[in-house]
Amino acid sequence: MKTSLELEIEQLMKDLQKEIKEQGLSFVEEADFEEIQVQNQTSIPDGFLHYEHPLKSSKKSIRKIVLFIKRLIQSCNRFLLIPILEEQSAFNGSVKTELDRLNETIRLQEHKIRKLERSRKEPSK
């Protein structure tokens, strides 16, 4: 026999499914997180940001002057930007670590759910 909480949740799910269908959206009964592949869209491993990067100039005739000015500006701004980049890198690394931990937790929970569902489907001996 279902508890009142389970009945309430069941009714909420039905209402949500109805709303989703009325809005023309699709409803997925069970999400399979194993099929979802998170791709790192940046080339920054572990969220580390670099301040110094190669400087370029497309103007061949004044390339040396342009590169000198760019280096000078980069050097002058270093003391302002390095602390910000270090903080942001630390934050990015923390977020990445937590997301990895959460993804692993989801994977383990899905494994446990599948195991329980299999044991529930097997006939009792």
Side-chain angles (χ1 to χ4, degrees):
M1 184 160 185
K2 292 183 180 179
T3 66
S4 63
L5 179 61
E6 289 174 325
L7 292 171
E8 246 182 87
I9 291 172
E10 208 170 88
Q11 185 59 44
L12 281 171
M13 286 300 294
K14 286 178 185 177
D15 292 345
L16 281 172
Q17 289 174 5
K18 183 181 174 189
E19 270 187 56
I20 289 169
K21 287 179 183 175
E22 286 173 357
Q23 292 178 10
L25 304 170
S26 61
F27 177 77
V28 177
E29 192 66 39
E30 289 183 25
D32 186 6
F33 287 98
E34 288 179 2
E35 290 180 10
I36 300 172
Q37 298 210 354
V38 178
Q39 295 179 354
N40 186 3
Q41 296 180 358
T42 66
S43 59
I44 303 169
D46 298 325
F48 185 76
L49 302 172
H50 296 279
Y51 174 69
E52 294 185 16
H53 53 279
L55 300 174
K56 299 175 185 174
S57 173
S58 58
K59 310 262 192 254
K60 288 187 179 190
S61 59
I62 56 170
R63 177 175 287 150
K64 287 184 180 185
I65 296 171
V66 170
L67 290 178
F68 173 76
I69 293 171
K70 284 184 176 184
R71 277 191 209 100
L72 184 65
I73 292 170
Q74 192 177 50
S75 296
C76 291
N77 288 327
R78 178 174 287 131
F79 80 97
L80 294 171
L81 296 177
I82 294 289
I84 295 169
L85 291 175
E86 287 173 350
E87 271 185 51
Q88 187 64 49
S89 293
F91 175 79
N92 291 353
S94 297
V95 168
K96 182 183 182 310
T97 300
E98 277 304 302
L99 287 174
D100 290 344
R101 190 185 64 77
L102 287 171
N103 283 331
E104 182 63 18
T105 302
I106 289 170
R107 191 186 66 72
L108 291 171
Q109 291 297 324
E110 286 181 336
H111 177 71
K112 287 179 183 178
I113 290 169
R114 281 193 296 277
K115 195 173 176 181
L116 285 170
E117 287 175 343
R118 277 192 301 257
S119 68
R120 212 171 91 189
K121 288 179 183 177
E122 290 177 0
S124 300
K125 294 180 181 180

